[in-house]
Structure formats: structure tokens, C-alpha cells
Amino acid sequence: MNRARLIFGLILCAAGIEQAAASVPLGGNRKGAGGSYDLYGCMLSNDYYVVNFAAYQFDPSQAKDSKALPQAECVDIPATGKTQISVDLLDLDVRKKPVALKILREDGQIIAELPMTVAKQGVLTTTVDFKTPGKYQAILSVDDTDLHTAPEVGALHMPLTVGLAVESTGPASRLSVLIGAVGIAIAGAAYFVPRLLKPRPADSTG
């Protein structure tokens, strides 16, 4: 009975490992800084504010009269070059307050800035020319007298990557994890099962 329980437990363990590997989420390379990818960029938030962030890059080889819209990227921007940054203020009350937007390099140098203004349409847009691949940051500041919070304290920091390879968690990555998990389960079974099935020596006492 104990032998059968151990074998059954080993099978359940292997099945659990396989299920965990198969549940790795898709699309991880389209997320960043806690942003959830959708057709319009990604939603980002802190303890105070929530926005929808989107970056648009036009293909230089595309005809100027083309009506095709560029793909909305999240915080992992695929290439350098001129990029339109759009921040949609999802808090309706924030649309009535002065807001500012800065785009900074990793060393803190400001490469684009929108001064404090009331975004009546609820959207802040600016064009940034990313010269080199690397890490950048977009910072949204709100002059929020209702919360009695200084703009630098309540600021929403949005880390960006530009032209950097992002680790993929798509089907190929999931398959390698699954194969590894199954291999571990098989190796464990090969080690334990023969020992569990090995007949015990007869009891000579009696």
C-alpha cells in the first residue's frame, strides 16, 4: 500500500510540474514595468494616478500618404528614432489639473519636456528622437492640491527601454520549460520507481 501511494504521489508531482510549465503567460515581451498590453499601448499606474501609455514609431520606408496607422507600443519600444509618446490621463479629475511630462535618459538628462498645463482633452503628446538604444524614463507630474501631495512625490515614473532585446516568454520559451520539467519528472521516476518496486528480502525470523 505504501509503495502504491509513493508511486501515485510521484505521478501527481510530475503532472503538477508539467501544468505549472504550461501556464507560463504569453506576450511577456510586450509588457514592462507592470504594464498590461492592449491594442492601444498599456495601462500604467502608481498609488495616485492611472494612465494609458503608447509609443508610435513610423516606418521611414512607408509612403507618406499611407493611411495605415503604426502599431501602438508599450514601454518596450523596439527601435531608436523619432517616436511619438502619448499619455492618456484616465483619471477624469486629473484632466482639470496642471500636469507635466518629461522624458529622461538613464543619466537623468531631459530629452523632451512638456511644461505644466491643463490637458483639457486628457491626452499629453510629444515627439522624442531616441538617438541610442538604452533605458529611458517618462515622468508624469501632477499639481494636485486635492491630495495635498507634492508633484515630485506623486509623480508617475514609467521606465522605458528603447532598441533593447526583450526576453521572450512565447511558445518557444514555454516549450523549453515544459521539456525541462518533463525531463526532471522522468529522471525522478527512473530513480525512484525501481527502488519502490524492488522486492524486500524475506523475513527470516519466526
Side-chain angles (χ1 to χ4, degrees), residues 53 101-104 136-140 156-160:
F53 177 92
L101 181 66
K102 294 180 181 180
I103 311 296
L104 288 73
Y136 296 80
Q137 186 173 195
I139 301 178
L140 174 72
L156 174 56
H157 294 255
M158 298 167 274
L160 313 175

Side-chain angles (χ1 to χ4, degrees), residues 17 29 58 87 100 103 109 111 118 138 156 180:
I17 294 174
N29 61 328
F58 290 87
V87 177
I103 311 296
Q109 181 177 343
I111 58 175
V118 176
L156 174 56

Side-chain angles (χ1 to χ4, degrees), residues 55-130:
Y56 300 93
Q57 293 187 311
F58 290 87
D59 185 352
S61 62
Q62 186 176 354
K64 292 184 178 180
D65 58 349
S66 174
K67 296 182 180 180
L69 296 176
Q71 172 70 47
E73 301 291 344
C74 188
V75 293
D76 297 318
I77 302 172
T80 56
K82 289 187 178 180
T83 304
Q84 179 177 306
I85 300 296
S86 174
V87 177
D88 189 353
L89 306 174
L90 300 184
D91 299 288
L92 296 181
D93 61 322
V94 175
R95 300 185 179 192
K96 303 175 183 178
K97 301 173 181 178
V99 293
L101 181 66
K102 294 180 181 180
I103 311 296
L104 288 73
R105 294 193 323 199
E106 190 173 15
D107 60 7
Q109 181 177 343
I110 299 174
I111 58 175
E113 182 176 12
L114 292 176
M116 280 285 181
T117 185
V118 176
K120 296 181 180 180
Q121 301 300 320
V123 180
L124 295 173
T125 59
T126 185
T127 299
V128 186
D129 189 2
F130 293 109

Side-chain angles (χ1 to χ4, degrees), residues 200-206:
R200 297 180 180 179
D203 190 353
S204 58
T205 61

Side-chain angles (χ1 to χ4, degrees), residues 150-197:
E152 59 271 14
V153 174
L156 174 56
H157 294 255
M158 298 167 274
L160 313 175
T161 64
V162 177
L164 299 180
V166 180
E167 182 179 356
S168 174
T169 55
S173 178
R174 292 192 306 126
L175 180 60
S176 63
V177 173
L178 180 60
I179 292 174
V182 172
I184 293 173
I186 293 174
Y191 180 84
F192 286 107
V193 171
R195 286 160 177 77
L196 294 173
L197 298 179

